[in-house]
Amino acid sequence: MKAGTRTIVSFKQEGSYETAVETILLDVIHREKSPYYVQIDGEEIPHFLHRAKFEKAKMGWYYSQRLRSVEIRYPNPKRDHEVLISFEQFDLIGM
């Protein structure tokens, strides 16, 4: 893991064991603000504003104001991969 305005979580597969884990759920605490975006291997994943919709989705992310954490869910790619969580500054005019 490399923390900062662009937090990167890297997953490396070792050995020949085939995992039975089908879904990965990350919970990253960030007390200051919600991320700008989340990417898996360079592809942006959907952002959900409503927890119920996030919980039904197979892939996406949700920022809990109450817990001050980012929850990220995605199918396990079963290979080396990287999750990028952007806490970079952005403005509404530039969006």
Side-chain angles (χ1 to χ4, degrees):
M1 181 173 175
K2 181 179 170 187
T5 56
R6 291 171 58 96
T7 298
I8 298 171
V9 182
S10 299
F11 292 88
K12 303 288 183 198
Q13 185 173 348
E14 293 183 13
S16 58
Y17 176 77
E18 291 233 5
T19 182
V21 175
E22 294 297 323
T23 302
I24 294 180
L25 179 62
L26 297 177
D27 191 355
V28 180
I29 297 170
H30 195 277
R31 301 206 180 277
E32 294 177 23
K33 63 181 179 177
S34 173
Y36 182 37
Y37 62 86
V38 175
Q39 292 180 344
I40 299 173
D41 285 339
E43 285 193 43
E44 201 166 318
I45 64 172
H47 174 208
F48 292 91
L49 297 175
H50 301 283
R51 182 167 193 83
K53 289 183 180 181
F54 167 74
E55 289 176 354
K56 290 179 184 177
K58 290 185 179 188
M59 177 185 283
W61 66 274
Y62 170 79
Y63 183 75
S64 171
Q65 292 288 339
R66 185 177 62 81
L67 299 174
R68 299 285 197 201
S69 71
V70 185
E71 295 182 42
I72 304 164
R73 174 183 292 123
Y74 58 96
N76 186 356
K78 298 184 180 181
R79 59 174 166 70
D80 293 355
H81 65 283
E82 187 174 274
V83 178
L84 174 113
I85 308 164
S86 170
F87 293 105
E88 298 166 275
Q89 292 285 71
F90 69 93
D91 60 50
L92 295 176
I93 295 171
M95 288 181 69

